[in-house]
Amino acid sequence: MRETLFKFNHRAIKIIFYIFFTATFIFALTSSNLILGDNPITKIGTTAFTTIVLLIFGALFTICYVNHSVRDFLLWLFVDRSWVTATVCFVLAILLQIGFVSLIHYGVHDDVGAVHAALTNTKDVNIIGYFSVNPNNLGLLLLQHQIALIFHHTSWLFFDFMTVFMVDLAALFNLGSVFVIDKSKIPILLYLQAMWMALFPAIVVPYTDTWVLPFVAFYILCYVIVARSNMGKALKLIFAILGGLTVGATYFIKPSGIVPMIAIIIIELVSLLNKNKKHWIWLFLVTSIFALSAGSSYYKINHIINNQTYIHVNTFRAKPMIHFINMGLSKTGGYNAKDSYKMVILINKKDRINYSVKSIKKRLHKMGFAGYIKFLIVKQKNNTSDGTFGWLREGISAPSKYTPDKHGFKGKLENFVLLYGNNVGDFRFLTQIFWCIWLGLIFFAWKDDRKITQILRLSLVGGFIFLLIFEGGRSRYLIQFLPVFLILATLEWKTSIQQIRRLLKWNLNPGPKHRKNVL
């Protein structure tokens, strides 16, 4: 009976994942970002740059197909010597990030600007008002304030470099997780992360989306070490403590960042149906220690935030959680200026809650059941289809200076990432191609039923559901789950490639025997 229930839960998770992920994959493949030439939807089309890139890759593919020497050389370079080549690509991506931030580090508006302004001015009425209404960003502010005190810097450039550090630290933690699970996959993760880092301009946005990444990646690493490594039990318990402390801290940077940990707990509970009593005892011990450390971390940080004296905050003005559910039901499922304004002018907390409840009922009634399902489908598209992760689609990710320089390398780079740049369409197209490949590496691995795979799948399902319920409407909110996407694509790439070959009946010549087990 227990085994039957275990198999049922296992399959149910997989089916639910593919319902969500199939839609996501289709939405990405049909994104307006992939329109070549003039783009009637985004109004920003591709240029000759994209055409040249496509011609280069087309010519390279053709040469590899007809010339075995070139193909063998590329296989030798990127496959046989993958550890070296992938590491070089990863290092080059870091250098590219440093160069990018050195050239482009303009101020950002909205929430990011408010947090940054509070690093130097805590007496401004508007700043106090912002944190009174949005105390959820106090955790980030206090963290950045402590960093500013340590390094004696508060400039945008400094915190952009700190964002690079956060992003790259998360990448290193991802490498640690894959090393524990299957170290032979490290080169693939290095390649994937190098490409992602090279196409990720959000490193100039020091906000919760990017700053939560190392926290999520680290507690995943802690779990992997506890569950899959050959370390002694004493060391595993230490990592259970570290993981719990990190989960508690994650909540105060971005609450939805703990979704992967919820997925871990669910899968471990399901797995108990197929385990002996000895495993139950060990899991109970680890879970107890983890829960105590996570609870202690939450209590301590919550106490620090509630008793901080750095900035005066009128906590009774805070937006209630139901407000974000209400906004998640409006228009595209994202930010709603009218709803947000109501949270500011309604002083009484009960009035703010009543407004949100009435608005939710009104919107659901207007949609009806069929309309609500249609709304969720469209919202899932808005939440996941854009491979740029919402870059330039809202103020929070758009630098204040919108006009690129006309001369020099800096100007050429700005044309790809600033709103009125000539090559923004090229950036969106190329990034979308990578996003589709990334998703494809996950999608086609439906035969992979390992527990770690199920955990990562359920993490994404949890993230999708969270964004469907709460404020979403753009793929920027996926950034917090990128460690999950990266690790999952890495672990499943081989299974996906084999499945694609079977589907296409693609019988490639494997080449020299020494390559058959590489990567």
Side-chain angles (χ1 to χ4, degrees):
M1 180 64 182
R2 286 199 306 167
E3 185 177 351
T4 302
L5 184 59
F6 168 76
K7 289 181 178 179
F8 172 79
N9 291 330
H10 189 75
R11 290 171 182 170
I13 290 171
K14 191 173 179 180
I15 289 170
I16 294 171
F17 169 77
Y18 270 100
I19 289 174
F20 280 99
F21 204 80
T22 299
T24 295
F25 192 36
I26 292 173
F27 292 146
L29 290 171
T30 57
S31 169
S32 59
N33 290 342
L34 292 177
I35 296 176
L36 279 170
D38 295 334
N39 194 321
I41 299 176
T42 64
K43 309 301 181 183
I44 304 175
T46 60
T47 68
F49 180 85
T50 296
T51 303
I52 293 171
V53 171
L54 293 177
L55 287 174
I56 290 173
F57 276 97
L60 188 61
F61 179 82
T62 303
I63 292 172
C64 290
Y65 184 78
V66 300
N67 190 317
H68 289 238
S69 298
V70 174
R71 185 180 68 180
D72 288 343
F73 170 74
L74 292 177
L75 286 171
W76 173 84
L77 181 62
F78 291 103
V79 179
D80 296 348
R81 298 292 180 269
S82 59
W83 281 85
V84 175
T85 307
T87 302
V88 170
C89 290
F90 184 74
V91 172
L92 288 175
I94 294 175
L95 295 176
L96 180 63
Q97 288 178 317
I98 294 172
F100 179 79
V101 170
S102 298
L103 293 173
I104 299 178
H105 48 268
Y106 308 116
V108 182
H109 341 206
D110 300 341
D111 301 83
V112 193
V115 173
H116 187 264
L119 294 173
T120 54
N121 183 7
T122 59
K123 303 300 181 182
D124 187 277
V125 175
N126 293 322
I127 298 298
I128 293 174
Y130 171 83
F131 283 99
S132 297
V133 176
N134 301 280
N136 55 302
N137 279 331
L138 275 174
L140 177 66
L141 171 61
L142 295 179
L143 174 60
Q144 292 192 354
H145 171 60
Q146 288 301 313
I147 293 174
L149 289 178
I150 293 171
F151 293 96
H152 305 289
H153 283 287
T154 58
S155 68
W156 279 105
L157 177 60
F158 172 75
F159 277 98
D160 284 349
F161 275 121
M162 284 303 305
T163 305
V164 172
F165 173 76
M166 291 291 186
V167 170
D168 294 351
L169 185 61
L172 293 177
F173 290 148
N174 293 339
L175 289 169
S177 295
V178 171
F179 183 85
V180 174
I181 299 169
D182 184 355
K183 64 181 179 181
S184 68
K185 299 291 197 310
I186 289 292
I188 291 298
L189 181 57
L190 286 169
Y191 283 133
L192 284 175
Q193 291 194 147
M195 184 62 70
W196 159 58
M197 290 155 63
L199 296 172
F200 190 62
I203 52 174
V204 296
V205 184
Y207 194 53
T208 56
D209 305 296
T210 46
W211 279 56
V212 79
L213 287 175
F215 293 86
V216 175
F218 184 69
Y219 75 65
I220 291 176
L221 172 59
C222 289
Y223 165 74
V224 168
I225 290 174
V226 173
R228 298 182 64 95
S229 75
N230 295 321
M231 287 185 180
K233 289 189 175 181
L235 283 174
K236 288 186 176 183
L237 292 178
I238 291 174
F239 276 98
I241 294 172
L242 292 175
L245 294 174
T246 305
V247 169
T250 301
Y251 180 83
F252 291 98
I253 300 297
K254 201 171 189 69
S256 51
I258 68 171
V259 166
M261 180 50 68
I262 296 174
I264 289 171
I265 293 171
I266 292 174
I267 294 296
E268 285 295 344
L269 290 175
V270 170
S271 298
L272 281 178
L273 296 171
N274 204 33
K275 298 294 184 180
N276 55 40
K277 290 184 179 179
K278 185 178 180 181
H279 185 83
W280 283 43
I281 295 172
W282 167 246
L283 185 60
F284 176 77
L285 176 61
V286 172
T287 303
S288 299
I289 290 176
F290 167 81
L292 285 172
S293 59
S296 300
S297 176
Y298 175 88
Y299 175 81
K300 181 64 176 178
I301 298 174
N302 188 55
H303 178 76
I304 291 173
I305 291 176
N306 287 337
N307 293 278
Q308 60 85 27
T309 58
Y310 177 67
I311 183 171
H312 177 71
V313 174
N314 301 308
T315 54
F316 68 92
R317 298 288 308 279
K319 295 176 182 176
M321 183 181 294
I322 198 169
H323 158 71
F324 298 98
I325 297 177
N326 181 38
M327 285 207 301
L329 285 168
S330 67
K331 299 179 181 179
T332 62
Y335 177 78
N336 185 297
K338 179 183 176 182
D339 292 336
S340 188
Y341 179 67
K342 279 289 186 180
M343 295 300 102
V344 175
I345 64 174
L346 294 173
I347 304 300
N348 188 281
K349 181 179 180 180
K350 187 175 180 180
D351 291 338
R352 296 196 296 274
I353 293 175
N354 288 338
Y355 169 82
S356 297
V357 171
K358 290 179 181 178
S359 183
I360 288 172
K361 291 179 178 179
K362 181 179 179 181
R363 286 166 179 170
L364 287 175
H365 179 74
K366 184 178 180 180
M367 290 181 195
F369 179 76
Y372 181 59
I373 297 301
K374 181 180 179 181
F375 170 80
L376 290 179
I377 294 172
V378 174
K379 188 177 180 181
Q380 179 70 4
K381 178 181 180 180
N382 295 334
N383 289 345
T384 63
S385 64
D386 182 11
T388 70
F389 303 115
W391 182 251
L392 297 180
R393 297 188 185 277
E394 56 178 319
I396 203 170
S397 62
S400 301
K401 182 180 178 181
Y402 292 112
T403 306
D405 289 341
K406 295 181 179 180
H407 306 287
F409 178 76
K410 179 182 178 183
K412 294 183 183 300
L413 188 60
E414 287 177 332
N415 271 294
F416 283 89
V417 296
L418 295 189
L419 186 58
Y420 298 117
N422 296 327
N423 299 107
V424 169
D426 300 310
F427 168 73
R428 288 178 176 170
F429 180 88
L430 297 175
T431 304
Q432 192 69 28
I433 291 291
F434 173 61
W435 181 232
C436 290
I437 294 172
W438 191 350
L439 295 178
L441 291 176
I442 298 173
F443 177 80
F444 288 100
W446 50 70
K447 291 188 177 182
D448 187 350
D449 292 327
R450 290 173 294 174
K451 185 169 76 170
I452 186 63
T453 300
Q454 290 291 76
I455 287 173
L456 296 172
R457 285 170 175 166
L458 188 59
S459 298
L460 294 184
V461 169
F464 293 152
I465 293 175
F466 182 91
L467 295 180
L468 286 176
I469 296 174
F470 291 89
E471 179 188 359
R474 60 275 205 203
S475 62
R476 174 174 71 84
Y477 292 108
L478 285 183
I479 293 174
Q480 62 191 301
F481 303 115
L482 289 185
V484 178
F485 278 100
L486 286 161
I487 296 172
L488 190 56
T490 299
L491 298 180
E492 295 192 333
W493 81 274
K494 191 171 185 178
T495 304
S496 288
I497 294 299
Q498 291 172 346
Q499 186 60 40
I500 292 171
R501 287 177 176 176
R502 280 193 290 267
L503 291 173
L504 297 177
K505 296 181 180 179
W506 188 16
N507 297 316
L508 293 179
N509 178 10
K513 292 183 179 180
H514 68 278
R515 290 199 185 102
K516 65 181 180 180
N517 292 321
V518 175
L519 291 183

